Amino acid sequence: MTVAANPVIRGFAPDPSLIRVDEWYYVATSSFEWFPTIPVHRSRDLAHWEYAGHVSGAAPGDSLAGTPDSGGIWAPSLSWDGERFWVVYAIVRSVGSRHFDLDTYISTATHVDGEWTAPRRVASHGFDPALFHHKGRLWLLNMQSDHRPGGNRFAGIVLTELDRETLRPLGETHLLLQHDRLIEGPKLLVRDGWYYLVLAEGGTGFEHGARVARSHSLTGPYELDQLPLLTTRDDPKVLLQKAGHAELVQTPTGEWFLSHLAARPLHTEHGMRCPLGRETAVQAVVWDTDGWPRLRQGGWHPAVEVEVPTVADPADRPSPVRDGGAVHAEGALTWPWSTLRAAPDPSWADTAARPGWIRLRGRQGPESLWDQSLLAQRITEHRAEVEVTVEARPRTFGESAGLTLRYNTASYLSLDLTWAEPEGEPQRGQQWRGEGRTVLSLLEHDEEGARQVAVVDVEAGVPVVLGASVEGAEARFWYVREGVRTPVGPPLDFSRLSDDHGSKLRFTGAFAGIHAQDLVAAEFTADFGGFRLGCMPG
């Protein structure tokens, strides 16, 4: 047997949807406001996973401009009908409001890394949709939301048949199940004459879990299992918290496994915080004598190490997903680089102007929901180090470029090369006089606003190496002066870059990246070289 070490896909990789096609397993995960949209990983053995592509074109117009933090693409569900991959997902335009203002889309492809069809909108009852292919028919599962005052935002699970060609609804929508505890994320499977409905339960925080219901009839009524399939809500000491949002898959030899999301918390003075976001894990499943699925190890707590089948030829096994970015041979910025609300474009992220470097043209600021010039990679461990060389000549306080640790528009840390007034002169916006300093400015931003933590003078026009080290809940920034790492400012609270900080809903994870801004002319450029992100387990 092979041992899978959970999480098997580390860092921001939530809401995994797991399927098997012949000898390969595929997982699609949520991308929210980030591009590439709907990353897909693949594995031969459930233990070793590699990036396999993404659902290109999932956002109509290839843009999520204006989408709020943690909006965008929620909980894609991947499926296979014997000929094509299908994916169904919701694009959520409002977060934390009574109206989710969402649209549900379906796209198909013959290969996950190939061309996906243009997304087609289908019945949009709520988020977390799924497709059920059964006896040549196509069914759309969803949760429904009652937005009316006094209504239940999680008002039950519904099922609608769709025409396979037009995707139009056929017949009525069926209410399958309602429950006192929040339920969402429905998935359907058939086994031994039963239809099993696998549900996410309790919300996606520390109360999260997975619950199963079943019926002899597709349209119900469904009987709810008295025990959870998976949860950690009863024990904060379990290493993998927030366990839930599960999907079951059968191996070629008849064994059963499930994918689920989980998080590895830091235990801070503010409580548990999960800056790595929600990650993808797998568990082994058996069926009890009454026909309910149970975790193989017993109980409902997820295991960190899980035995999975060994593939016949280890040479066919993909290598683990690794940290560190690269510029594609043709100059395209590819995975693991990610961008906000649109894919990278040479008009602002240029790899041809200076071979081996990335030239960013500054656009809007780090709190914009529209046009940020940002390239970032997921932080996948609680110990990490990032560094990059930046070369630029900022001439106004509206021009800056540097290194950022980021969660969203409300939570980020950044060390930027920028302009400042001469020593002792107040901020009066007189940069056009040509006087001033080139400085490194360390900013800390949370829901209460931005604070300038430290300012360091540097020589104008000279490349400077910037870096940051993460150790648990602490982040330290530095730059290289005369070959020596020199700290900039005090240690900062990295745990604020998490789902669990602040008062608003948060669903993504921490990134490390490079960015540039020019708030006036959108012409300022900065060159970045030698970007390196290392994430160290343990």
Side-chain angles (χ1 to χ4, degrees):
M1 299 293 285
T2 298
V3 174
N6 282 317
V8 292
I9 304 174
R10 303 168 88 81
F12 166 47
D15 309 319
S17 176
L18 172 67
I19 64 170
R20 179 177 63 84
V21 180
D22 297 325
E23 299 299 315
W24 285 97
Y25 300 93
Y26 296 89
V27 158
T29 53
S30 293
S31 49
F32 294 92
E33 68 265 37
W34 289 93
F35 278 65
T37 47
I38 311 180
V40 180
H41 287 74
R42 69 174 188 171
S43 173
R44 287 285 307 279
D45 62 4
L46 293 169
H48 303 87
W49 293 83
E50 65 182 2
Y51 176 72
H54 70 281
V55 180
S56 57
D62 291 324
S63 174
L64 291 171
T67 300
D69 292 333
S70 291
I73 296 177
W74 287 22
S77 182
L78 196 62
S79 57
W80 172 257
D81 68 356
E83 297 179 352
R84 293 180 293 170
F85 290 96
W86 294 66
V87 66
V88 60
Y89 55 95
I91 296 183
V92 177
R93 304 287 183 178
S94 300
V95 178
S97 69
R98 287 188 299 111
H99 302 83
F100 290 104
D101 297 317
L102 60 81
D103 298 290
T104 301
Y105 294 98
I106 288 177
S107 182
T108 66
T110 54
H111 302 282
V112 293
D113 60 348
E115 183 176 351
W116 288 81
T117 60
R120 290 192 284 172
R121 190 184 187 279
V122 295
S124 300
H125 296 282
F127 54 81
D128 289 11
L131 294 176
F132 181 53
H133 306 269
H134 187 53
K135 296 181 178 180
R137 299 166 74 177
L138 178 66
W139 299 83
L140 173 67
L141 280 157
N142 219 326
M143 54 81 68
Q144 67 173 347
S145 175
D146 186 344
H147 65 271
R148 297 171 298 179
N152 187 349
R153 297 183 70 204
F154 298 85
I157 304 302
V158 295
L159 180 73
T160 308
E161 185 175 8
L162 301 180
D163 183 280
R164 288 180 54 86
E165 299 303 322
T166 67
L167 302 184
R168 300 283 298 174
L170 297 175
E172 65 183 61
T173 293
H174 306 273
L175 177 63
L176 302 188
L177 182 70
Q178 290 180 318
H179 184 42
D180 292 339
R181 187 185 287 270
L182 182 158
I183 52 173
E184 56 190 332
K187 304 289 191 297
L188 263 173
L189 64 93
V190 180
R191 180 182 181 273
D192 293 346
W194 288 98
Y195 293 93
Y196 287 90
L197 189 58
V198 183
L199 303 163
E201 182 186 48
T204 196
F206 292 104
E207 291 295 308
H208 201 25
R211 196 77 173 267
V212 177
R214 68 182 181 184
S215 173
H216 282 302
S217 169
L218 174 60
T219 57
Y222 279 79
E223 168 198 6
L224 197 66
D225 188 2
Q226 295 303 302
L227 298 176
L229 171 59
L230 176 74
T231 189
T232 51
R233 68 173 68 99
D234 59 326
D235 191 349
K237 297 186 295 298
V238 176
L239 294 178
L240 299 176
Q241 287 290 315
K242 302 184 179 181
H245 201 101
E247 186 160 10
L248 288 161
V249 69
Q250 191 173 23
T251 71
T253 55
E255 298 169 278
W256 288 86
F257 289 84
L258 63 79
S259 63
H260 68 96
L261 67 79
R264 291 175 285 162
L266 297 170
H267 293 266
T268 77
E269 60 182 307
H270 308 289
M272 289 191 291
R273 287 183 173 176
C274 306
L276 305 182
R278 296 166 301 149
E279 309 172 281
T280 292
V282 297
Q283 302 295 326
V285 168
V286 295
W287 299 83
D288 70 13
T289 55
D290 293 326
W292 292 106
R294 305 290 181 214
L295 297 184
R296 185 170 62 192
Q297 67 268 23
W300 43 76
H301 293 163
V304 174
E305 294 187 342
V306 177
E307 288 189 347
V308 295
T310 300
V311 297
D313 185 357
D316 291 338
R317 189 177 64 198
S319 61
V321 178
R322 299 188 184 277
D323 301 315
V327 177
H328 191 272
E330 288 78 20
L333 291 162
T334 58
W335 186 270
W337 287 114
S338 291
T339 52
L340 281 170
R341 298 177 176 84
D345 186 277
S347 68
W348 62 266
D350 187 356
T351 60
R354 186 176 179 182
W357 292 67
I358 301 170
R359 177 166 293 170
L360 295 185
R361 176 175 61 85
R363 298 184 296 166
Q364 295 173 358
E367 292 150 49
S368 171
L369 301 178
W370 300 87
D371 295 319
Q372 289 196 42
S373 296
L374 168 75
L375 293 168
Q377 297 181 16
R378 288 158 170 78
I379 297 175
T380 60
E381 302 293 344
H382 291 303
R383 293 179 59 239
E385 185 172 276
V386 58
E387 70 174 20
V388 69
T389 299
V390 58
E391 184 175 352
R393 288 182 175 270
R395 291 181 171 85
T396 82
F397 58 81
E399 298 175 352
S400 64
L403 178 67
T404 183
L405 303 179
R406 179 184 180 88
Y407 184 89
N408 62 11
T409 61
S411 294
Y412 61 85
L413 312 171
S414 64
L415 180 60
D416 295 328
L417 188 69
T418 188
W419 179 96
E421 290 82 2
E423 188 89 35
E425 182 176 312
Q427 294 181 189
R428 291 183 177 174
Q430 301 184 51
Q431 73 276 11
W432 54 81
R433 292 183 175 181
E435 301 175 355
R437 302 173 289 155
T438 299
V439 300
L440 295 177
S441 172
L442 180 60
L443 287 179
E444 178 182 36
H445 189 281
D446 61 19
E447 291 182 329
E448 296 179 358
R451 295 171 293 281
Q452 189 174 55
V453 178
V455 177
V456 176
D457 286 80
V458 293
E459 186 176 352
V462 175
V464 59
V465 177
L466 308 180
S469 301
V470 174
E471 188 75 39
E474 188 174 89
R476 296 175 181 266
F477 284 83
W478 42 267
Y479 76 110
V480 175
R481 182 174 63 183
E482 297 178 353
V484 178
R485 289 187 179 183
T486 303
V488 180
L492 299 178
D493 187 357
F494 179 72
S495 75
R496 292 184 178 184
L497 311 187
S498 76
D499 295 354
D500 317 296
H501 171 68
S503 59
K504 296 181 179 180
L505 294 173
R506 295 176 169 216
F507 300 130
T508 56
F511 284 72
I514 56 177
H515 66 160
Q517 71 176 40
D518 181 351
L519 302 180
V520 176
E523 294 176 349
F524 164 74
T525 62
D527 290 351
F528 296 85
F531 181 89
R532 177 186 63 83
L533 172 61
C535 299
M536 290 74 74

